[in-house]
Amino acid sequence: MAYEGILLGMGNPLLDISAVVDEDFLKKYGIKLNDAVLAEDKHLPMYEEMTKKYEVEYIAGGATQNSIRVAQWMLQIPGATSYMGCIGKDKFGEEMKKNSKLAGVNVHYYEDGTAPTGTCAVCVVGGERSLVANLSAANCYKSEHLKKPENWALVEKAKYFYIAGFFLTVSPESIQLVAEHAAAKNKVFMMNLSAPFICEFFRDVQEKALPYMDYVFGNETEARTFSKVHGWETDNVEEIALKISQWPKASGTHKRITVITQGADPVVVAEDGKVKKFPVILLPKEKLVDTNGAGDAFVGGFLSQLVQEKPIEECVRAGCYAANVIIQRSGCTYPEKPSFN
């Protein structure tokens, strides 16, 4: 089987500015742990304050880009994955390009001359993370870039597509183009609920894309928010996963599978009207560095086996392995080679 370009991701490429901060810092900027939000005016000074006050690390991030890089790392087949998103023409953008090339991902960035490369403040307290994203250039992605022959060729070549829900705030029309292509050509289209605010405030575009989703990923908080927004009146993650899997589909080729992670609790997989639960690899608290990128890494591990047509048990096992590696390191980073067998 030819793996070149088999998996394509689209999303918001962001440079993570990561630091261990304190409760006061979170309070000052009105940030909740384990949340992800878009930066408002009140958040803008925090980036500067973080670099002055704490020891910061700069790590190439962005949810979809993290997942694609992890899938690429797990596959160890150069060029198996591709990625599109928008960066600025600046040193952070150059850094991102260098990073992705080293990771073996075939990136086709749209470079915007008017805005700086997007950043994401990763505030870590007690190993738990909170994200505040300042999209900047990432917000400037246009479907015109996707339609260019050299970029659309990546879509034609791929058999699997993964897009984090965060991209719904940027270019729903790009998502729709890829989703419709996937349905027409019997390919596999996948998205992530990504954050409570996506389910709450971008409900319309999320619902428009949902019929095309063959796999829906998310965590327990996002799943419960999705349930609340849709008036399902249940907090039971297994029930919610089932209901999402039974949402009407645009194409009958693949049945929808919902995969919900719950931190240290078992992964919930809903398909065919049934729910399966898979335990995760438990990690002693003292080994936890930070949870930044854990969900992204889970998806990356999962996708690395899915594109090889492995059974769902193997996909989940690989997802759990990748997440376990990432939470023992700062940000979404990994050792040179995986030890997954």
Side-chain angles (χ1 to χ4, degrees):
M1 188 168 170
Y3 286 111
E4 197 199 332
I6 193 165
L7 171 63
L8 171 64
M10 295 176 73
N12 302 334
L14 304 173
L15 189 76
D16 282 354
I17 302 173
S18 180
V20 175
V21 301
D22 47 49
E23 293 281 356
D24 291 344
F25 186 80
L26 298 184
K27 256 198 213 93
K28 179 176 177 179
Y29 289 104
I31 302 165
K32 293 201 294 274
L33 272 183
N34 284 322
D35 202 6
V37 298
L38 292 178
E40 297 166 34
D41 288 346
K42 68 173 183 185
H43 295 121
L44 296 179
M46 71 184 281
Y47 299 88
E48 183 82 9
E49 186 176 336
M50 273 175 85
T51 51
K52 285 204 173 113
K53 202 165 162 186
Y54 305 103
E55 211 166 297
V56 301
E57 283 184 274
Y58 295 94
I59 306 159
T64 308
Q65 186 163 245
N66 284 344
S67 295
I68 296 296
R69 276 183 24 237
V70 169
Q72 179 62 49
W73 169 68
M74 291 281 287
L75 280 163
Q76 294 286 310
I77 304 165
T81 62
S82 311
Y83 175 80
M84 284 188 251
C86 184
I87 58 174
K89 293 183 175 172
D90 51 22
K91 73 171 199 303
F92 283 168
E94 287 306 314
E95 194 65 24
M96 199 90 84
K97 280 195 280 197
K98 199 175 75 193
N99 233 294
S100 306
K101 283 206 176 74
L102 280 173
V105 178
N106 176 20
V107 292
H108 282 214
Y109 290 127
Y110 170 52
E111 293 181 45
D112 183 272
T114 62
T117 296
T119 49
C120 182
V122 180
C123 308
V124 180
V125 175
E128 303 288 350
R129 61 87 179 131
S130 190
L131 309 175
V132 183
N134 186 10
L135 296 182
S136 299
N139 205 28
C140 302
Y141 191 84
K142 306 275 185 292
S143 56
E144 289 76 63
H145 176 262
L146 173 64
K147 291 175 190 162
K148 283 187 175 161
E150 66 272 27
N151 300 325
W152 190 255
L154 298 182
V155 177
E156 294 282 357
K157 190 167 224 177
K159 293 189 174 71
Y160 296 83
F161 303 96
Y162 175 68
I163 302 174
F166 294 119
F167 202 53
L168 287 164
T169 76
V170 172
S171 188
E173 53 286 350
S174 298
I175 294 175
Q176 211 58 28
L177 285 168
V178 172
E180 286 167 10
H181 166 87
K185 304 278 186 190
N186 298 332
K187 295 177 176 184
V188 178
F189 181 78
M190 304 170 276
M191 287 192 75
N192 202 310
L193 299 176
S194 288
F197 85 88
I198 298 288
C199 304
E200 288 173 308
F201 306 116
F202 292 87
R203 175 180 171 166
D204 294 355
V205 279
Q206 190 180 51
E207 282 182 11
K208 199 175 168 203
L210 193 56
Y212 294 94
M213 297 179 206
D214 299 308
Y215 285 80
V216 176
F217 296 94
N219 68 24
E220 75 280 39
T221 317
E222 294 148 10
R224 288 183 176 125
T225 305
F226 189 92
S227 169
K228 195 175 83 199
V229 165
H230 291 89
W232 289 349
E233 294 185 355
T234 177
D235 256 353
N236 181 309
V237 173
E238 294 171 46
E239 272 179 53
I240 298 165
L242 265 180
K243 281 176 106 80
I244 293 174
S245 71
Q246 288 158 348
W247 194 283
K249 278 197 95 253
S251 135
T253 313
H254 310 284
K255 25 182 218 310
R256 182 180 303 109
I257 298 176
T258 313
V259 184
I260 306 293
T261 58
Q262 313 187 82
D265 294 326
V267 177
V268 172
V269 175
E271 66 169 314
D272 257 350
K274 292 187 284 291
V275 168
K276 287 186 191 146
K277 283 154 83 174
F278 300 92
V280 302
I281 309 160
L282 293 175
L283 186 75
K285 188 80 174 152
E286 64 274 10
K287 282 193 162 174
L288 173 71
V289 175
D290 69 54
T291 55
N292 182 27
D296 304 335
F298 174 85
V299 173
F302 187 102
L303 297 178
S304 73
Q305 304 309 296
L306 186 68
V307 302
Q308 299 179 68
E309 299 180 5
K310 298 276 172 71
I312 195 111
E313 294 75 14
E314 279 303 284
C315 297
V316 173
R317 193 169 73 86
C320 292
Y321 163 78
N324 182 265
V325 169
I326 263 76
I327 61 177
Q328 296 181 64
R329 303 167 68 93
S330 182
C332 197
T333 61
Y334 38 78
E336 196 188 338
K337 292 264 194 294
S339 59
F340 178 77
N341 50 5

